[in-house]
């Protein structure tokens, strides 16, 4: 489970930076709303980065901690780094990445339950609930 959790950590780190990049590069008539929402999302993910790294340590394992390791393990890809004014594109990609995080959290929870690791399972429940709400809201906007 250590490798799976480190892949998850790498995805969180990449997702955080991707959200922050969109936050910096968003423009257009919906700038204020998108800018604020993206900051809200990257604050959530930033908190989860620390919580997951500490969880890995509490579980007696070692979290990855270098950009090289994050880059090698992440399945979340970087954004373009370009200015973007099409909010549908931005939030569709954000939605897809939250879907990746949700599915990953569910897989880790299943492994934790099989290993009778209630600490990891409970944390994944929290992450799953957060992602499910965000995904529901994004889907409601992108109808």
């Amino acid at each position: 489970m250590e490798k799976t959790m480190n892949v998850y950590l790498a995805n969180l780190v990449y997702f955080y930076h991707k959200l922050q990049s969109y936050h910096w590069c968003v423009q257009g008539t919906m700038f204020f709303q998108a800018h604020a929402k993206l900051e809200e999302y990257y604050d959530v993910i930033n908190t989860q980065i620390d919580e997951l790294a500490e969880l890995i340590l509490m579980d007696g394992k070692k979290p990855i901690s270098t950009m090289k390791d994050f880059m090698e393990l992440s399945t979340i890809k970087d954004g373009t780094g370009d200015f973007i004014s099409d909010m549908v594109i931005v939030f569709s990609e954000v939605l897809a990445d939250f879907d990746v995080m949700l599915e990953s959290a569910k897989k880790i929870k299943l492994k934790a339950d099989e290993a009778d690791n209630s600490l990891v399972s409970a944390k994944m429940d929290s992450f799953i609930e957060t992602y499910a709400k965000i995904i529901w809201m994004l889907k409601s906007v992108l109808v």
Side-chain angles (χ1 to χ4, degrees):
M1 191 162 43
E2 181 176 6
K3 177 156 184 179
T4 306
M5 289 180 67
N6 272 314
V7 168
Y8 190 77
L9 180 59
N11 281 342
L12 283 170
V13 168
Y14 258 74
F15 193 26
Y16 170 82
H17 285 285
K18 187 177 196 175
L19 288 164
Q20 194 170 53
S21 176
Y22 281 145
H23 169 78
W24 292 333
C25 294
V26 74
Q27 58 186 16
T29 58
M30 298 300 294
F31 170 81
F32 289 112
Q33 296 90 334
H35 188 75
K37 185 54 71 175
L38 290 162
E39 182 175 0
E40 178 186 318
Y41 290 160
Y42 76 66
D43 284 345
V44 166
I45 297 301
N46 188 43
T47 299
Q48 289 181 349
I49 290 167
D50 190 54
E51 289 176 356
L52 183 65
E54 290 175 353
L55 179 65
I56 293 169
L57 289 164
M58 287 186 287
D59 201 38
K61 310 290 190 286
K62 184 182 182 306
I64 59 170
S65 59
T66 67
M67 291 308 293
K68 179 179 181 251
D69 289 338
F70 295 137
M71 185 175 67
E72 288 174 1
L73 290 179
S74 180
T75 61
I76 300 268
K77 301 301 174 207
D78 280 331
T80 65
D82 295 329
F83 288 106
I84 189 162
S85 58
D86 188 333
M87 295 308 123
V88 172
I89 291 173
V90 169
F91 286 105
S92 292
E93 192 161 329
V94 169
L95 172 60
D97 290 339
F98 271 115
D99 278 331
V100 168
M101 298 311 301
L102 176 62
E103 292 309 310
S104 298
K106 288 178 179 179
K107 288 177 184 172
I108 291 171
K109 178 177 175 44
L110 285 173
K111 287 183 179 184
D113 288 344
E114 290 170 2
D116 198 28
N117 187 330
S118 58
L119 190 63
V120 171
S121 181
K123 183 57 71 179
M124 291 304 111
D125 282 337
S126 172
F127 288 3
I128 289 165
E129 180 180 3
T130 298
Y131 302 147
K133 184 172 184 178
I134 291 170
I135 288 167
W136 161 63
M137 291 181 165
L138 283 170
K139 285 181 177 178
S140 294
V141 168
L142 293 170
V143 171

